[in-house]
Amino acid sequence: MKKTRILVVDDHELVRRGVLASIQQFRPDWEVCGEGSTGREAVAKAASLKPDIVVMDISMPDMNGLEATRQILKENPEIEVLILSMHESEQLVHEVLASGARGYVLKADAGNDLIAALDALRQHKLFFTSRISEVVLRGYLTGPRSAGGDTGLTGQLSQREREILQLVAEGKSNKEVANTLNISVKTVETHRAHIMVKLDLHSVSDLIRYAVRNQIIEC
């Protein structure tokens, strides 16, 4: 039987070590084939290593886990992504599902649920921590959420705009963003203007607050 290969991506080394230790202890027949600490590393390593499953944090510098998930699955739709996060809001659950990830485990529950979640995903089944399942069920029972606020607005942005949104919110200048993404400063300025219009934001402070509320960056 083909060995299950897992890529672990989290900006906290302690979390990566914990995931690795759990796999080595309970499923030594599986292999952690690589690690990363940013979403951009996740995209690059998923492309080169071709893992079966990526264990992904959401809030990471440079590129968040949801954007990384979108890019990974766009190029490698056969890869399964398990989100490992400390957040459990209904809005975030919807964002995770929309990104294409098929598993969602809270870090607080990882000790009990991680191996079961990985086993489900390797069989191409969905897996949610019980508390996340409750959030999904509550959202289903209460029906569509009312309009307003930030809900769903990030989905109006293009892939490039989402990347620039995070980098600007992290405090990078237009030149630094341009160098990171290998595009011109003028292109960054144009995208920034479009982001502000689409999200109805009026200052960098508004943009940062938006990014924090939507777990694009951590405060």
Side-chain angles (χ1 to χ4, degrees):
M1 181 179 294
K2 176 176 172 286
K3 178 175 286 191
T4 298
R5 303 174 72 249
I6 301 167
L7 172 64
V8 182
V9 186
D10 194 293
D11 59 331
H12 295 98
E13 184 178 1
L14 186 61
V15 174
R16 299 198 306 271
R17 296 277 77 78
V19 172
L20 176 61
S22 292
I23 291 172
Q24 290 177 334
Q25 178 179 357
F26 297 107
R27 291 304 301 259
D29 52 318
W30 297 350
E31 174 191 0
V32 174
C33 62
E35 297 181 29
S37 59
T38 72
R40 209 168 297 281
E41 284 185 14
V43 174
K45 291 193 175 185
S48 62
L49 297 174
K50 296 293 191 296
D52 299 296
I53 303 171
V54 179
V55 178
M56 184 92 72
D57 187 21
I58 290 181
S59 299
M60 294 184 291
D62 195 29
M63 178 188 289
N64 66 77
L66 295 182
E67 183 58 36
T69 297
R70 295 185 189 99
Q71 294 193 24
I72 288 171
L73 296 180
K74 181 180 179 181
E75 299 300 324
N76 303 278
E78 72 284 356
I79 292 176
E80 297 284 3
V81 177
L82 171 65
I83 295 295
L84 188 62
S85 175
M86 60 195 303
H87 305 290
E88 56 176 296
S89 70
E90 182 185 344
Q91 177 182 336
L92 192 56
V93 171
H94 282 269
E95 293 285 347
V96 166
L97 293 173
S99 75
R102 290 166 53 83
Y104 192 158
V105 171
L106 293 173
K107 288 184 177 179
D109 299 329
N112 295 323
D113 292 341
L114 177 63
I115 298 301
L118 291 170
D119 196 37
L121 263 66
R122 64 190 287 271
Q123 299 177 62
H124 304 292
K125 298 178 181 178
L126 294 170
F127 187 96
F128 300 105
T129 296
S130 59
R131 282 189 286 175
I132 295 300
S133 297
E134 290 172 6
V135 171
V136 173
L137 178 60
R138 186 165 59 248
Y140 174 78
L141 292 176
T142 56
R145 291 163 294 168
S146 60
D150 295 336
T151 302
L153 290 178
T154 308
Q156 299 176 16
L157 303 181
S158 68
Q159 173 183 315
R160 182 64 82 196
E161 287 168 345
R162 291 192 299 267
E163 290 180 303
I164 291 173
L165 168 63
Q166 175 165 354
L167 293 171
V168 171
E170 289 176 348
K172 290 183 171 59
S173 67
N174 287 347
K175 184 176 181 180
E176 289 172 324
V177 173
N179 290 337
T180 298
L181 300 178
N182 196 29
I183 57 180
S184 71
V185 172
K186 182 65 176 177
T187 299
V188 173
E189 293 172 347
T190 300
H191 281 307
R192 280 186 64 161
H194 290 165
I195 291 167
M196 303 297 273
V197 171
K198 287 182 178 181
L199 300 182
D200 192 25
L201 304 175
H202 307 287
S203 68
V204 174
S205 296
D206 288 345
L207 187 149
I208 292 171
R209 283 192 292 269
Y210 175 91
V212 171
R213 284 197 302 269
N214 289 276
Q215 281 87 48
I216 295 169
I217 64 171
E218 291 183 324
C219 57

